[in-house]
Amino acid sequence: MNNPFADVAAVQRALAERGYVADRALATAVFLALALERPLFLEGEAGVGKTELAKALADAIGRPLVRLQCYEGIDREHALYEWNYARQLLHIRIQEAAGLAGDKKALAGLEEALFSPAFLLRRPLLQAIDPAGPAPVLLIDEVDRGDEAFEAFLLEVLGEFQVTIPELGTLRAAEIPVVMLTSNRTREVHDALKRRCLYHWVEYPDFDREYAILTARVPDLAASVAAAVCRFVQRLRQEPLMKRPGIAETLHWGMALAALGVERLEPERVEETIGCLIKYKDDLDLLLTVQQGRRPVARLLAETGGV
């Protein structure tokens, strides 16, 4: 596809219009992925906005989003296609009921019909290679959850953008889809797959970017509270936590505070809503256990100035 953006700044503007605030480096990676028709491999901690970027980009360029969610044990069939065996069996029963079981010509036609596109379950990769409409944005999410065999399969598909279905023949992409892969780095993805892609490490946002994202996505939150939220989260990420909160958690917390009508960020309010940010009990114990006469939440809030 032709690059719909004139320059990197146009990428930033288009994403910002959809509530996604991208820094210059990330917008450059997106621009080059479109210009060079190369997959973009986004790696970073969970919750930093990798999946949301694909959603915002699909909306910005007016393409459908096709998402392949990877998981342990995912294989070729679940990613590419399967035959609808239940529907095929039902079709056979109907033909038997119609009295065609002894008709050789009818049986030959039945076999051909059973392996026609009407009985094909198109999984995300096939939807992207042979779409009903324009080439989509293909999001291969959390590729690090799959195994090395699945990586090798992806490498083959992304190299050729074609697939052979024995009963139907080879299907080739008329237009190369926009491909984005994400990884939370639960394990290292093989170099061969990374070499096929442009690579970008998505870092936690700095204060200015996080504040811009929060105020864009949660406009009902008072500006002073939004600033206090971002200062607190930025400081919280420096603590020795099992899981540091990402921008997704910041947004959830901001939404919760807005729903509660909070106008001032105080220790009691933080502790009541800390479950929006922290999802591990060890981290909760670290923040809510009294130390030196007060809880760490109060100390962190004081260090960041509160509101």
Side-chain angles (χ1 to χ4, degrees):
M1 64 177 292
N2 295 324
N3 194 339
F5 299 112
D7 51 33
V8 174
V11 176
Q12 288 182 290
R13 288 193 298 271
L15 294 176
E17 288 172 0
R18 288 151 182 87
Y20 192 96
V21 182
D23 59 24
R24 177 81 183 183
L26 180 56
T28 299
V30 172
F31 179 83
L32 291 175
L34 293 170
L36 303 177
E37 295 188 328
R38 295 280 299 278
L40 176 58
F41 191 103
L42 299 172
E43 198 164 41
E45 300 291 340
V48 294
K50 303 182 295 295
T51 300
E52 289 300 315
L53 175 59
K55 295 177 181 179
L57 179 62
D59 187 41
I61 64 178
R63 296 297 179 104
L65 176 70
V66 174
R67 179 178 179 179
L68 172 61
Q69 177 63 54
C70 299
Y71 53 87
E72 186 177 352
I74 189 171
D75 55 20
R76 175 189 179 100
E77 287 71 28
H78 288 91
L80 195 56
Y81 75 90
E82 291 181 283
W83 291 106
N84 191 335
Y85 297 115
R87 189 177 176 190
Q88 287 174 322
L89 182 59
L90 178 61
H91 189 70
I92 292 171
R93 297 300 186 212
I94 291 173
Q95 296 301 309
E96 289 177 345
L100 301 179
D103 189 330
K104 293 184 179 180
K105 185 175 181 180
L107 287 176
L110 173 60
E111 182 177 356
E112 183 177 348
L114 288 175
F115 293 98
S116 67
F119 293 92
L120 189 67
L121 294 175
R122 292 168 172 260
R123 301 307 185 194
L125 291 182
L126 185 56
Q127 292 173 27
I129 292 173
D130 188 36
V137 173
L138 172 61
L139 170 62
I140 303 175
D141 216 3
E142 298 184 330
V143 68
D144 52 318
R145 292 184 178 274
D147 57 23
E148 292 187 1
F150 185 68
E151 280 184 37
F153 165 65
L154 283 179
L155 188 63
E156 177 186 352
V157 171
L158 297 180
E160 303 295 335
F161 286 103
Q162 68 178 37
V163 59
T164 298
I165 301 175
E167 298 84 357
L168 299 178
T170 300
L171 302 177
R172 295 179 177 84
E175 182 181 9
I176 295 177
V178 178
V179 181
M180 301 181 74
L181 302 93
T182 74
S183 168
N184 295 335
R185 207 180 183 187
T186 57
R187 68 171 181 85
E188 288 293 339
V189 174
H190 199 279
D191 289 345
L193 183 59
K194 286 186 175 181
R195 284 198 303 269
R196 180 71 62 184
C197 311
L198 299 178
Y199 177 86
H200 186 82
W201 174 265
V202 184
E203 191 55 86
Y204 288 109
D206 59 19
F207 172 84
D208 290 337
R209 182 168 167 240
E210 191 154 25
Y211 178 77
I213 295 170
L214 181 58
T215 53
R217 300 290 290 272
V218 192
D220 294 338
L221 188 64
S224 58
V225 178
V229 163
C230 292
R231 288 196 300 268
F232 183 82
V233 173
Q234 294 273 321
R235 176 63 184 84
L236 186 59
R237 291 187 184 124
Q238 299 173 26
E239 293 295 298
L241 302 174
M242 291 181 61
K243 171 63 176 69
R244 292 180 290 173
I247 183 61
E249 284 74 30
T250 302
L251 292 174
H252 294 161
W253 192 31
M255 293 174 187
L257 295 173
L260 292 170
V262 172
E263 297 181 353
R264 181 178 179 80
L265 199 59
E266 298 174 334
E268 293 78 12
R269 284 286 181 261
V270 176
E271 291 181 3
E272 290 169 356
T273 56
I274 196 71
C276 295
L277 293 175
I278 302 299
K279 307 299 172 67
Y280 288 88
K281 187 177 185 302
D282 289 348
D283 291 342
L284 286 174
D285 291 343
L286 177 67
L287 295 172
L288 299 180
T289 301
V290 175
Q291 300 175 9
Q292 299 179 347
R294 63 174 176 173
R295 293 184 178 184
V297 162
R299 172 180 56 81
L300 295 175
L301 193 58
E303 289 179 7
T304 57
V307 60

